[in-house]
Amino acid sequence: MKRFFMALVCAALVVSVSAAPKKAPKVDYVNATELTLVGKLCETTNPYHRVEVENVEGISKGEARLLKMASGLAIAFKTNASSIYVKATYGPASSWGSYAPLVTTTGFNLFIKDNDGEWTWAAAKAHKIVPTTKTLDKLSKPLNVISGLVKGEKECLLYLPLYSEILSLEIGVNSGAKIAALENPFRHNIAVFGSSFTHGSCASGPALTWPAFLSRATGLHLCSFGMSGNSKLQPYLGNEFAKTKADALICDAFSNPTVAQIGSRIRPFIQAVRKHKPDMPIIFLNTIYREHRNFRPAYEKREQSRIEYVEETMKAVTKEFKNVYFVNVPDQTGTDHITSADGTHPYSYGYHRWAQAIEKPIMKILKKHKIK
């Protein structure tokens, strides 16, 4: 009986110890504005908005909402921390797409420079909460991006969510560790205007869009103005991009507009840019193959006729305007039909292929303008 009683006491102690709450780690936070914001060209009241939309005459509410999202932005810093955390406050311009992982919508991608100087994937993390007006407060709780990091100082790039509006952001490290701003690791300023492809729809993470892949591959500072469904050669947007410190403008401009819109807007768009940047190179990209074309004759005919129209239009446009170029690489995402997420957008593997396909022609053009 005595042994039985002792066994019960020991069991109770084990249960008590195992049920005790884990001690929360001590974390020191720094406001992300004290570090280096990468991917930004426009001066804005909210540092994580890409354009001061209130100052853009003619912009629609939908366009403004998209440009409040943090797509393409990243925080550059150096730290000797073993653990990295984030605390973000999310705004109403946050949404989730059916084919996108939550890390793309509301989460973070961490890349760390390895011993060979290459930016290397380190972590991707998000709260398991779909962003709605009722859940935004829950998303603001601290998020442990990574733990168990190697010792020593590390150069880091923390990519911000593609489809969320960030109102405030803090980066945390384990207590006692150091964290400081890292000088922008990218050179020149390249504005990238584009569709949901550029925004990063269906990417596997915020750092896995074609502009992000191309930026890390070339070392150029590509600043994304992806606007899902709304890259339609709006002249007032061309005017805004040209007022920035951009050295060049790359446009994924033919994925959203109709043939009629392309015909009526391509020249006014270029002219709007030229008011502020008369010699800046403007590089237009043709759209990619959409897998919805497979086995659907009517869709295939419509897509192919648009591509052919763009090719003919750009032959004339590149002759009319100085320093306007058309990069028309076939099969940017491959011909094996394995990269599509939803018939329109690729997963990140397709975006990586796209970046690889256009890298050489873009770099060749930029080199002519001493951008390299």
Side-chain angles (χ1 to χ4, degrees), residues 201-230:
S201 182
C202 295
S204 308
L208 305 178
T209 65
W210 75 258
F213 280 124
L214 188 59
S215 186
R216 291 193 300 272
T218 62
L220 295 177
H221 188 213
L222 268 63
C223 302
S224 175
F225 293 96
M227 299 173 60
S228 287
N230 287 272

Short mmCIF file of all heavy atoms in Angstrom, two decimals, residues 201-230:
data_model
loop_
_atom_site.label_atom_id
_atom_site.label_comp_id
_atom_site.label_asym_id
_atom_site.label_seq_id
_atom_site.Cartn_x
_atom_site.Cartn_y
_atom_site.Cartn_z
N SER A 201 1.23 36.38 -57.14
CA SER A 201 0.12 35.48 -56.90
C SER A 201 0.56 34.02 -57.08
O SER A 201 1.19 33.67 -58.07
CB SER A 201 -1.03 35.79 -57.87
OG SER A 201 -2.13 34.97 -57.63
N CYS A 202 0.22 33.19 -56.11
CA CYS A 202 0.51 31.75 -56.09
C CYS A 202 1.98 31.42 -55.85
O CYS A 202 2.37 30.25 -55.93
CB CYS A 202 0.04 31.06 -57.37
SG CYS A 202 -1.75 31.09 -57.59
N ALA A 203 2.80 32.43 -55.56
CA ALA A 203 4.19 32.14 -55.18
C ALA A 203 4.19 31.34 -53.88
O ALA A 203 3.25 31.41 -53.09
CB ALA A 203 4.98 33.42 -55.01
N SER A 204 5.26 30.60 -53.66
CA SER A 204 5.35 29.76 -52.46
C SER A 204 5.80 30.54 -51.23
O SER A 204 5.82 30.00 -50.13
CB SER A 204 6.32 28.61 -52.72
OG SER A 204 5.99 27.93 -53.91
N GLY A 205 6.20 31.79 -51.42
CA GLY A 205 6.63 32.62 -50.32
C GLY A 205 6.95 34.01 -50.82
O GLY A 205 7.13 34.23 -52.02
N PRO A 206 7.04 35.01 -49.93
CA PRO A 206 7.28 36.39 -50.34
C PRO A 206 8.59 36.61 -51.10
O PRO A 206 8.70 37.55 -51.88
CB PRO A 206 7.29 37.16 -49.01
CG PRO A 206 6.55 36.30 -48.06
CD PRO A 206 6.82 34.89 -48.47
N ALA A 207 9.59 35.75 -50.87
CA ALA A 207 10.89 35.91 -51.51
C ALA A 207 10.99 35.14 -52.81
O ALA A 207 12.06 35.11 -53.44
CB ALA A 207 12.00 35.45 -50.57
N LEU A 208 9.89 34.52 -53.25
CA LEU A 208 9.95 33.59 -54.38
C LEU A 208 9.11 34.06 -55.56
O LEU A 208 8.47 33.27 -56.26
CB LEU A 208 9.51 32.20 -53.90
CG LEU A 208 10.31 31.66 -52.70
CD1 LEU A 208 9.77 30.31 -52.25
CD2 LEU A 208 11.80 31.56 -53.02
N THR A 209 9.13 35.36 -55.80
CA THR A 209 8.51 35.96 -56.99
C THR A 209 9.59 36.16 -58.05
O THR A 209 10.78 36.14 -57.75
CB THR A 209 7.90 37.32 -56.64
OG1 THR A 209 8.98 38.22 -56.27
CG2 THR A 209 6.93 37.21 -55.47
N TRP A 210 9.18 36.40 -59.28
CA TRP A 210 10.22 36.57 -60.32
C TRP A 210 11.06 37.83 -60.08
O TRP A 210 12.29 37.78 -60.30
CB TRP A 210 9.63 36.51 -61.73
CG TRP A 210 8.87 37.71 -62.23
CD1 TRP A 210 7.53 37.85 -62.31
CD2 TRP A 210 9.42 38.93 -62.76
NE1 TRP A 210 7.18 39.08 -62.82
CE2 TRP A 210 8.33 39.76 -63.12
CE3 TRP A 210 10.71 39.40 -62.95
CZ2 TRP A 210 8.52 41.03 -63.66
CZ3 TRP A 210 10.89 40.67 -63.49
CH2 TRP A 210 9.81 41.47 -63.84
N PRO A 211 10.50 38.98 -59.62
CA PRO A 211 11.40 40.11 -59.34
C PRO A 211 12.40 39.81 -58.23
O PRO A 211 13.56 40.24 -58.29
CB PRO A 211 10.44 41.24 -58.94
CG PRO A 211 9.13 40.88 -59.56
CD PRO A 211 9.08 39.39 -59.47
N ALA A 212 11.98 39.06 -57.20
CA ALA A 212 12.90 38.72 -56.11
C ALA A 212 14.00 37.78 -56.58
O ALA A 212 15.17 37.94 -56.23
CB ALA A 212 12.13 38.10 -54.95
N PHE A 213 13.61 36.78 -57.38
CA PHE A 213 14.62 35.88 -57.94
C PHE A 213 15.63 36.65 -58.79
O PHE A 213 16.84 36.46 -58.68
CB PHE A 213 13.95 34.81 -58.82
CG PHE A 213 13.34 33.66 -58.07
CD1 PHE A 213 12.01 33.34 -58.23
CD2 PHE A 213 14.11 32.89 -57.21
CE1 PHE A 213 11.44 32.27 -57.55
CE2 PHE A 213 13.56 31.81 -56.53
CZ PHE A 213 12.22 31.49 -56.70
N LEU A 214 15.12 37.54 -59.65
CA LEU A 214 15.99 38.29 -60.55
C LEU A 214 16.88 39.25 -59.78
O LEU A 214 18.05 39.43 -60.13
CB LEU A 214 15.13 39.05 -61.56
CG LEU A 214 15.87 39.74 -62.71
CD1 LEU A 214 16.68 38.73 -63.53
CD2 LEU A 214 14.89 40.49 -63.62
N SER A 215 16.36 39.84 -58.73
CA SER A 215 17.14 40.78 -57.92
C SER A 215 18.31 40.07 -57.25
O SER A 215 19.46 40.55 -57.29
CB SER A 215 16.24 41.43 -56.87
OG SER A 215 16.92 42.43 -56.16
N ARG A 216 18.06 38.93 -56.65
CA ARG A 216 19.15 38.20 -55.98
C ARG A 216 20.16 37.65 -56.98
O ARG A 216 21.35 37.56 -56.70
CB ARG A 216 18.58 37.06 -55.12
CG ARG A 216 17.81 37.54 -53.90
CD ARG A 216 17.55 36.41 -52.92
NE ARG A 216 16.77 35.33 -53.51
CZ ARG A 216 15.44 35.28 -53.54
NH1 ARG A 216 14.74 36.27 -53.01
NH2 ARG A 216 14.81 34.26 -54.07
N ALA A 217 19.70 37.28 -58.17
CA ALA A 217 20.60 36.72 -59.19
C ALA A 217 21.52 37.77 -59.78
O ALA A 217 22.67 37.49 -60.12
CB ALA A 217 19.78 36.05 -60.29
N THR A 218 21.03 39.01 -59.90
CA THR A 218 21.78 40.07 -60.57
C THR A 218 22.42 41.06 -59.62
O THR A 218 23.33 41.80 -60.01
CB THR A 218 20.87 40.85 -61.53
OG1 THR A 218 19.83 41.48 -60.77
CG2 THR A 218 20.25 39.93 -62.58
N GLY A 219 21.91 41.13 -58.39
CA GLY A 219 22.38 42.15 -57.45
C GLY A 219 21.75 43.50 -57.68
O GLY A 219 22.14 44.49 -57.03
N LEU A 220 20.76 43.58 -58.57
CA LEU A 220 20.09 44.85 -58.85
C LEU A 220 18.92 45.05 -57.88
O LEU A 220 18.27 44.10 -57.45
CB LEU A 220 19.57 44.88 -60.28
CG LEU A 220 20.64 44.85 -61.38
CD1 LEU A 220 19.99 44.81 -62.76
CD2 LEU A 220 21.57 46.06 -61.27
N HIS A 221 18.68 46.32 -57.55
CA HIS A 221 17.62 46.67 -56.61
C HIS A 221 16.30 46.79 -57.36
O HIS A 221 15.93 47.88 -57.83
CB HIS A 221 17.97 47.99 -55.91
CG HIS A 221 17.07 48.34 -54.79
ND1 HIS A 221 16.74 49.65 -54.48
CD2 HIS A 221 16.40 47.58 -53.88
CE1 HIS A 221 15.94 49.68 -53.45
NE2 HIS A 221 15.71 48.44 -53.06
N LEU A 222 15.59 45.68 -57.51
CA LEU A 222 14.30 45.67 -58.17
C LEU A 222 13.20 46.00 -57.17
O LEU A 222 13.09 45.35 -56.12
CB LEU A 222 14.02 44.31 -58.81
CG LEU A 222 14.47 44.15 -60.28
CD1 LEU A 222 15.98 44.28 -60.39
CD2 LEU A 222 14.01 42.81 -60.84
N CYS A 223 12.42 47.03 -57.49
CA CYS A 223 11.37 47.51 -56.59
C CYS A 223 10.02 47.23 -57.24
O CYS A 223 9.68 47.83 -58.27
CB CYS A 223 11.55 49.00 -56.32
SG CYS A 223 13.17 49.38 -55.60
N SER A 224 9.26 46.32 -56.65
CA SER A 224 8.05 45.82 -57.28
C SER A 224 6.85 46.73 -57.08
O SER A 224 6.53 47.12 -55.96
CB SER A 224 7.73 44.43 -56.73
OG SER A 224 6.49 43.97 -57.24
N PHE A 225 6.20 47.02 -58.19
CA PHE A 225 4.90 47.69 -58.17
C PHE A 225 3.87 46.75 -58.80
O PHE A 225 3.06 47.14 -59.63
CB PHE A 225 4.95 49.02 -58.94
CG PHE A 225 5.82 50.06 -58.28
CD1 PHE A 225 7.14 50.23 -58.69
CD2 PHE A 225 5.34 50.85 -57.26
CE1 PHE A 225 7.95 51.18 -58.09
CE2 PHE A 225 6.15 51.80 -56.65
CZ PHE A 225 7.46 51.96 -57.07
N GLY A 226 3.94 45.47 -58.39
CA GLY A 226 2.95 44.51 -58.84
C GLY A 226 1.57 44.89 -58.33
O GLY A 226 1.41 45.26 -57.17
N MET A 227 0.57 44.79 -59.21
CA MET A 227 -0.80 45.22 -58.86
C MET A 227 -1.77 44.20 -59.43
O MET A 227 -2.29 44.38 -60.52
CB MET A 227 -1.10 46.60 -59.43
CG MET A 227 -0.20 47.71 -58.92
SD MET A 227 -0.51 49.25 -59.80
CE MET A 227 -2.25 49.53 -59.42
N SER A 228 -1.99 43.14 -58.70
CA SER A 228 -2.79 42.02 -59.20
C SER A 228 -4.02 42.46 -60.00
O SER A 228 -4.91 43.12 -59.48
CB SER A 228 -3.23 41.15 -58.03
OG SER A 228 -2.16 40.41 -57.54
N GLY A 229 -4.04 42.08 -61.27
CA GLY A 229 -5.17 42.36 -62.14
C GLY A 229 -5.28 43.79 -62.62
O GLY A 229 -6.19 44.13 -63.39
N ASN A 230 -4.37 44.67 -62.20
CA ASN A 230 -4.53 46.10 -62.48
C ASN A 230 -3.32 46.74 -63.16
O ASN A 230 -3.15 47.95 -63.10
CB ASN A 230 -4.84 46.84 -61.17
CG ASN A 230 -6.24 46.57 -60.69
OD1 ASN A 230 -7.19 47.25 -61.06
ND2 ASN A 230 -6.38 45.55 -59.86
#
